[in-house]
Amino acid sequence: MKIALMDSGIGLLAATAAVRRLRPDADLVLSLDPDGMPWGPRTPEDLTSRALAVAEAAAAHRPDALIVGCNTATVHALPTLRARLEPAIPVIGTVPAIKPAAAGGGRIAIWATPATTGSPYQRGLIEEFADGVPVTEVPCWGLAEAVEHADEAAIDAAVAVAAALTPDDVTTVVLGCTHYELVAERIRAAVQRPDAPPLVLHGSAGAVAAQALRRIGEEPAPGAPADGTLTVLLSGREGELPVPALNYAEGRLLPAVTPAR
């Protein structure tokens, strides 16, 4: 079994680690775009073009499924990616976990990039899945970029600013950017109020990994031999994981890069 994941940068690490935990025997192909990152400021057409190139580089390795490990790319490029690759390769997008968050009741904050915050896409998800539940959209200026470069001071500063914009009575935070899942516990510590019930965080990585397995008819097997390989593509070229990836537990969970097979 071979599963590919794509993103402009290391935001895909959370979903990659989730796949690795569910199926340690799966071969992984990570397709990044250092030549074109960040994707967020690009026009939808330009972003879609970059995402398609990254997806096709991954598809050349004949994976059984492709995970789009990026909320922004899912918003803008998912229909094009599916039109190009399916049905031969199932394509799984990443959507903010608003539905399960709303099911828990209580006030919700959605932490997302400034481009996503207030967007018709996110507002549509709120209307569909959180009708009647109080929701605050929190723009996280610079957080994804800080996480991408493992800039500790910048991460702390961006988290503090976003936490200050988060209402005191929030009980649940939806992590609406895959990068944020890499610093989830720092977000929890910044938002948790004294004497309040434990804050609930909702990311997408686990659900995306499980959906990828379902799409290809496989079951989780966390006890399988940990012999899956790792191939890293950097704007189509075989290479190594970016150094900042090793600052996160999800990056350290991955094996060394091995020759593609």
Side-chain angles (χ1 to χ4, degrees):
M1 175 174 43
K2 183 181 291 185
I3 295 179
L5 300 97
M6 59 170 281
D7 190 4
S8 63
I10 63 173
L12 52 63
L13 285 179
T16 302
V19 172
R20 175 61 71 207
R21 293 186 183 103
L22 290 177
R23 290 301 299 255
D25 57 336
D27 293 337
L28 301 176
V29 178
L30 307 188
S31 190
L32 289 71
D33 187 26
D35 293 355
M37 68 173 298
W39 284 349
R42 293 181 176 274
T43 66
E45 296 77 15
D46 191 19
L47 187 154
T48 297
S49 177
R50 300 294 313 187
L52 188 57
V54 167
E56 290 183 328
H61 289 258
R62 303 174 65 86
D64 297 296
L66 172 66
I67 292 172
V68 183
C70 173
N71 296 86
T72 303
T74 298
V75 171
H76 296 296
L78 189 62
T80 298
L81 297 177
R82 284 179 166 163
R84 182 68 60 92
L85 299 178
E86 291 187 344
I89 301 174
V91 180
I92 297 90
T94 299
V95 176
I98 296 172
K99 184 177 182 179
R107 186 175 188 129
I108 298 170
I110 303 173
W111 283 35
T113 63
T116 299
T117 300
S119 66
Y121 165 75
Q122 184 160 288
R123 290 282 168 85
L125 292 176
I126 293 170
E127 291 175 7
E128 182 175 0
F129 297 121
D131 186 36
V133 177
V135 175
T136 299
E137 296 180 89
V138 178
C140 301
W141 297 95
L143 181 54
E145 293 81 1
V147 172
E148 179 68 32
H149 296 102
D151 184 331
E152 298 293 325
I155 292 169
D156 287 343
V159 167
V161 170
L165 298 174
T166 303
D168 289 347
D169 59 347
V170 158
T171 63
T172 304
V173 173
V174 174
L175 303 176
C177 170
T178 53
H179 280 80
Y180 303 169
E181 296 190 50
L182 301 178
V183 292
E185 291 311 310
R186 293 165 76 163
I187 293 171
R188 184 194 304 278
V191 178
Q192 180 69 55
R193 310 301 182 195
D195 303 321
L199 186 73
V200 178
L201 296 183
H202 281 280
S204 302
V208 166
Q211 176 66 1
L213 293 182
R214 284 193 293 270
R215 288 288 303 273
I216 61 177
E218 293 283 352
E219 295 289 334
D227 56 6
T229 64
L230 177 67
T231 301
V232 175
L233 305 174
L234 304 175
S235 299
R237 308 175 298 273
E238 287 198 31
E240 303 285 333
L241 273 176
V243 172
L246 301 179
N247 284 268
Y248 304 104
E250 292 85 349
R252 295 191 295 271
L253 179 66
L254 300 176
V257 171
T258 46
R261 69 184 188 189

